[in-house]
Amino acid sequence: VNKDYAKTDNMYSLWMARDDIGRGAILLNSDLIFHIDILKMLVQSNFKDALAVDENAKFEQGSMRVKSVKGKLVGMIRNLKKNNGRAVGIYKFSAEGAKKYYEKMRRLIESGKSNGILEDPLNELIENYDVYCVNTGKLPWMEIDTINDLKRAEKKLKSILG
């Protein structure tokens, strides 16, 4: 449990689980609803390290946008001008990828940046390690951050549970 969440963020919360993710992991943001086939596509992809990306997404303020070249992730930041899609918030890491990801995270935390987000070490990782994008196609998903999002999600749930 991250008792310092108010001062840190989700990266530090994930850091606290580092001993449990040595064999690889599927990471997902807890504020998501999504069609199960998105997760299946990601898990069953031939990529050992990848993230789900919606290339057809409508962008909202603060959306995590991704830039890829031939399916390989080359950048990920909110409000990225030139991008290929929006990060859904579901990631697949192999044991090797998880180890390298945590090494980047450790370095960030030791340098005093414990208030980072999950994507901070990922952006450092992709400088010298391949992580790929798996397009969600037209499968429905939604991030729920506000009451209005929740109301919209209630309507969208019918297509997700369909």
Side-chain angles (χ1 to χ4, degrees):
V1 174
N2 182 1
K3 294 178 183 174
D4 295 321
Y5 186 79
K7 297 184 295 188
T8 60
D9 206 322
N10 59 9
M11 182 184 78
Y12 191 74
S13 295
L14 185 58
W15 173 252
M16 297 185 76
R18 66 193 173 274
D19 294 334
D20 298 319
I21 304 183
R23 293 177 293 176
I26 300 295
L27 306 177
L28 52 102
N29 291 339
S30 61
D31 59 354
L32 296 176
I33 59 169
F34 56 91
H35 195 286
I36 190 65
D37 287 347
I38 293 174
L39 183 58
K40 287 178 183 176
M41 287 169 46
L42 185 63
V43 169
Q44 293 170 359
S45 75
N46 291 326
F47 307 119
K48 60 183 185 170
D49 300 282
L51 68 151
V53 173
D54 187 344
E55 294 178 359
N56 303 305
K58 292 180 183 175
F59 291 101
E60 299 168 3
Q61 183 74 19
S63 296
M64 189 59 68
R65 300 175 187 205
V66 301
K67 173 81 174 145
S68 64
V69 175
K70 296 181 181 178
K72 186 173 120 176
L73 181 66
V74 296
M76 185 175 199
I77 191 167
R78 296 188 196 286
N79 303 319
L80 183 66
K81 299 285 186 222
K82 295 182 179 181
N83 62 76
N84 304 88
R86 181 176 175 189
V88 172
I90 307 174
Y91 308 86
K92 174 175 90 170
F93 286 104
S94 64
E96 177 187 13
K99 181 179 178 184
K100 291 177 181 289
Y101 177 77
Y102 270 98
E103 179 56 31
K104 300 294 183 184
M105 192 184 304
R106 182 192 59 74
R107 197 184 58 70
L108 287 168
I109 290 169
E110 287 178 355
S111 70
K113 297 177 183 171
S114 61
N115 62 339
I117 57 175
L118 295 174
E119 294 79 11
D120 292 343
L122 186 57
N123 273 310
E124 290 197 14
L125 176 66
I126 61 175
E127 291 175 7
N128 55 20
Y129 187 78
D130 292 344
V131 176
Y132 291 88
C133 300
V134 175
N135 185 17
T136 62
K138 296 192 184 269
L139 291 170
W141 68 278
M142 188 170 178
E143 181 178 17
I144 303 171
D145 292 322
T146 66
I147 295 296
N148 286 337
D149 289 347
L150 182 59
K151 289 176 183 175
R152 287 187 1 232
E154 288 170 348
K155 294 177 186 174
K156 199 170 207 176
L157 259 176
K158 289 180 184 173
S159 64
I160 290 174
L161 296 175

